[in-house]
Each structure stands twice: as structure tokens, then as C-alpha cells.
Amino acid sequence: MRISVFGLGHVGRALLASFQRVRVPGGGRARLVLAADGRGAYLGEDLDPARVTARKLERDYDRPRADRDAAALLAEARPDVHVELTPTDLETGAPALGDVRAALEARIPVVTAAKSHQRSREVLSGVLELAKERGVPFLDHASTLAGIPATEMVAGIGFELRSVEGVLNGTTNYILKRLAEGAAFDQARDEAVEKGFAERNWRYDLEGMDVAVKLVGLVRHLTGVVIGAEEVELRGDAELGLERGIVGASPELIARLAEEGQVLKLFGQVEIAGGAVRAAVGPRAVPASDPFAAVEGFHNAVRLEGVMNDSPMELFLRGPGAGADETASRVLGNLNHLIEVLSWRHEA
Ligand SMILES: NC(=O)c1ccc[n+]([C@@H]2O[C@H](COP(=O)([O-])OP(=O)(O)OC[C@H]3O[C@@H](n4cnc5c(N)ncnc54)[C@H](OP(=O)(O)O)[C@@H]3O)[C@@H](O)[C@H]2O)c1
């Protein structure tokens, strides 16, 4: 089983550190045949993942990358599965979107944690159509909620889903906690940017666009409906004095809510009725005893509600919504699952 990996950053290197746990049924072995970051590439019949990581850190490459050479590299290495872990850019989609399309064009199944293909309904539909037309699997579960396998869970549920809601953004968890400790909004926001938690364009996290992109992934995998991030409503709360997302929250607001036994969180919310889906992101105060109130740091939590015949059903899932090892764990799980399915196909 030949594997290629584009993107040797936090997640890519975490995956390579556990590459020996890529499982091939029937006693086969996974071999790394291509690895690349933005500067250079490694090619070989059985690359040593640890050596690739060590050389990457020294910027010592087999060859430099050329402009738009993804298709040529893939053609040369002939991987059975391609893993795309390059940066997400929702403005341009590059480089992940072009790489993913190049792999699918070449009928190479893809596993990815990048989110660029979810930047609009049009782009997402284009990628899904390409995968379908070429007849190759495209597994992007790790793009949604990092270490929490919420979207794979659909294989284990048959009930009619009515709603999905969740606390899905670690940066806002961090800032709201700092406000509870008395920090001013601007101070907490600047700290989050400095520590690398928040994007430089902090509005992306704090107004709810990051959560909107996560809802796109949840909705598609859990309901089969394709929506674009631009269709998710980004709300504020006039009563709480919040213009959009948690922008405008203050230590005074958090303290007042605490006196009332409430905690402020940024929620993603999806309602499903008669095949129609409505998705929104906005702030909400919940009782301190609510399980969502305790979701802090990079943890995310999601609640699925629905019915099976006459029985109401509810599932609550909580876990790491970010982190290199955590995301790589999901990528590895998806990779192993895909290899298992591909092995059945080969045997059939
Ligand atoms: N980290 C998380 O918690 C998390 C969670 C969920 C999803 N994700 C997604 O997973 C992906 C990887 O995240 P990360 O944290 O590992 O990012 P990262 O640390 O920024 O690493 C990105 C890697 O991609 C490389 N790269 C840039 N342009 C490239 C190109 N054209 N071709 C090949 N490689 C290229 C970078 O090269 P250089 O080393 O030369 O800069 C770097 O090695 C992102 O799309 C992110 O949104 C991450």
C-alpha cells in the first residue's frame, strides 16, 4: 500500500511519527512513497518517516517544489492513497484544493484534514462531483472537529436527525474564560492571537465563521445535504449586547451572567425539518449545570437529537477539537478505514 503525504507541519509530522500504525489487512505493509511540504519533496519506494521529518526540519530535500507540480509528483510516485495536510485557505483554497483535485483527477483516493474545499457550496460540490465521477473515495472527516469522530458516527445511527448543536471553537472558549477571569475583550483577543490560538484575522473565530465551516462538514456527513459556509447565518444577541458571535463581550457581562448561574458560549446550531436544513452560529447563555458550560480550552462538544420511530434519541460527544496529535489520530483512523475498504475491493 503506497501512501503520499502533502503537508509536513504539525499534523503531517504527527502522522509520520505514528506511520508504523497504518494498518494493511492480510499482512501487507504501508510504504511512504512521497512526502512534500511547500518547499521541497521526498520520493522513494519506502521512505523512512522519521528521516523525512528530521530532514524536513533541516530543510534538506530530495528536490525543490516547482509551481503547481502536485499532479506531476503524484504521477511519479503512484500512491494508492494520498493524504493532504497542507494549510487551509478559505479565500483562495490553495494549496489544499488544487492538490486534492489533482489526486482525484488521477483516481487516487484522498484523506484530508484541510478545510479549503468547504469554502463555498460551489467549490465543495465540485470536489464531491469529481470524486464521484472518478469513482474514488474522498475522506475529509478530519476537517471537521479534529480529534472527535462525530461525522463517522453516522455509520452507527439510523434515527431521524432533527437537530445538531455544539460548542465548536476553542479560541472563543479561551477568550470567554479570560473574560471570566477579568481580562478585557481586546486584551484576551490579542493574547489569543499572540499565542497562536486565534487566526490573525480574529473575526474568523470570534464572529463564528470557523464554526460555520464546521457546520458545513457536520451537515453534509450527518444529513447528506450540501450547504456552503456562506449559507450559515452568523448571529449576535442584542439583549446581551453582542453584535456578532462573541464580539463585544465584556468581563462585566460574563460576571453578571455568572451571578445568574449562567455561562456564555458560542454555539453552532442546525435544525433539520422535512429535508430542509437551517444552520446558524451565535452566542447563548446556558445554565452552569449544562454539559456545554463545562466545555473549555480546545475541547469541543456536539449534541445530536432525533427520533427512531417513537423513541426520542440524544447523543452527546465531547473531545479534542484541535491539536496536532489529536487531528493526526483522526487522519490515521480514516486512513486505516479506507485501506481496509480498498483491500476488500482488491480482493473482490
Ligand atoms: N492543527 C490542528 O489542530 C488542525 C485541526 C483540524 C484541521 N487542521 C487542518 O489540517 C491542515 C494541517 O494543519 P497543521 O496544523 O499541520 O498546519 P501547519 O503546521 O501550518 O502545516 C502545514 C504544512 O503544509 C506545508 N505546505 C504549505 N504549502 C504547501 C504546498 N503547496 N504543498 C505541500 N505542503 C505545503 C507547510 O510547509 P512549510 O513547513 O514549508 O511551511 C507545512 O509543512 C490544515 O489545513 C488545518 O486547517 C488542523
Side-chain angles (χ1 to χ4, degrees):
M1 184 61 63
R2 304 165 71 83
I3 311 288
S4 58
V5 179
F6 282 176
L8 303 173
H10 296 95
V11 181
R13 296 202 299 272
L15 178 68
L16 292 193
S18 280
F19 194 82
Q20 77 285 359
R21 290 200 298 106
V22 180
R23 278 196 308 265
V24 180
R29 202 167 68 80
R31 285 181 291 137
L32 183 66
V33 294
L34 166 64
D37 65 10
R39 295 187 180 87
Y42 307 90
L43 280 135
E45 280 305 293
D46 194 1
L47 296 166
D48 174 354
R51 178 105 182 93
V52 165
T53 295
R55 288 182 64 196
K56 184 259 175 317
L57 294 175
E58 289 165 9
R59 296 194 183 170
D60 166 29
Y61 298 101
D62 286 349
R63 70 171 76 159
R65 292 291 304 268
D67 196 27
R68 299 186 195 177
D69 61 351
L73 285 170
L74 290 168
E76 190 174 339
R78 294 174 290 104
D80 296 302
V81 180
H82 174 66
V83 183
E84 182 70 25
L85 300 172
T86 61
T88 290
D89 183 336
L90 294 173
E91 297 290 315
T92 67
L97 184 58
D99 293 354
V100 164
R101 291 193 63 98
L104 294 176
E105 289 278 5
R107 295 201 155 83
I108 301 165
V110 173
V111 174
T112 187
K115 305 167 196 178
S116 301
H117 62 285
Q118 300 189 143
R119 72 196 181 97
S120 71
R121 185 209 279 245
E122 194 189 347
V123 171
L124 176 57
S125 300
V127 170
L128 299 178
E129 271 161 32
L130 178 60
K132 195 171 163 202
E133 188 219 313
R134 298 286 182 208
V136 281
F138 171 63
L139 265 72
D140 65 342
H141 293 286
S143 314
T144 302
L145 308 196
I148 312 175
T151 51
E152 293 90 332
M153 207 166 68
V154 72
I157 58 174
F159 66 83
E160 183 190 334
L161 195 61
R162 297 263 171 94
S163 76
V164 181
E165 63 179 346
V167 169
L168 306 171
N169 181 269
T171 306
T172 47
N173 289 344
Y174 173 83
I175 288 178
L176 291 170
K177 184 149 191 279
R178 291 291 291 127
L179 296 184
E181 291 163 1
F185 182 84
D186 290 2
Q187 181 193 344
R189 178 199 66 201
D190 293 348
E191 268 175 31
V193 173
E194 260 166 47
K195 287 177 191 273
F197 300 161
E199 304 279 336
R200 289 246 149 246
N201 176 8
W202 51 266
R203 289 189 177 272
Y204 176 76
D205 283 308
L206 305 193
E207 291 190 341
M209 186 45 88
D210 174 71
V211 174
V213 173
K214 289 171 178 167
L215 293 185
V216 169
L218 283 171
V219 165
R220 174 161 63 87
H221 285 292
L222 295 173
T223 71
V225 175
V226 176
I227 60 168
E230 71 280 13
E231 292 163 69
V232 179
E233 187 189 349
L234 302 184
R235 296 179 183 151
D237 186 318
E239 271 180 35
L240 295 174
L242 303 175
E243 43 186 277
R244 192 182 255 192
I246 64 157
V247 177
S250 63
E252 293 75 22
L253 171 66
I254 304 302
R256 175 168 67 76
L257 290 170
E259 274 170 29
E260 296 164 6
Q262 307 219 74
V263 175
L264 186 69
K265 291 283 173 192
L266 182 67
F267 274 85
Q269 174 84 42
V270 180
E271 301 292 340
I272 306 133
V277 169
R278 270 193 20 232
V281 184
R284 196 193 308 163
V286 292
S289 56
D290 188 293
F292 281 119
V295 179
E296 288 190 342
F298 286 103
H299 272 219
N300 288 177
V302 64
R303 178 189 280 140
L304 310 183
E305 282 181 328
V307 289
M308 183 69 185
N309 302 325
D310 296 328
S311 304
M313 291 191 58
E314 180 193 308
L315 297 168
F316 188 88
L317 205 60
R318 176 187 164 152
D325 282 334
E326 292 82 350
T327 308
S329 149
R330 185 103 171 270
V331 170
L332 181 58
N334 283 190
L335 189 54
N336 282 336
H337 176 64
L338 178 59
I339 290 171
E340 193 180 352
V341 173
L342 292 175
S343 305
W344 291 338
R345 269 198 196 170
H346 283 301
E347 281 164 23

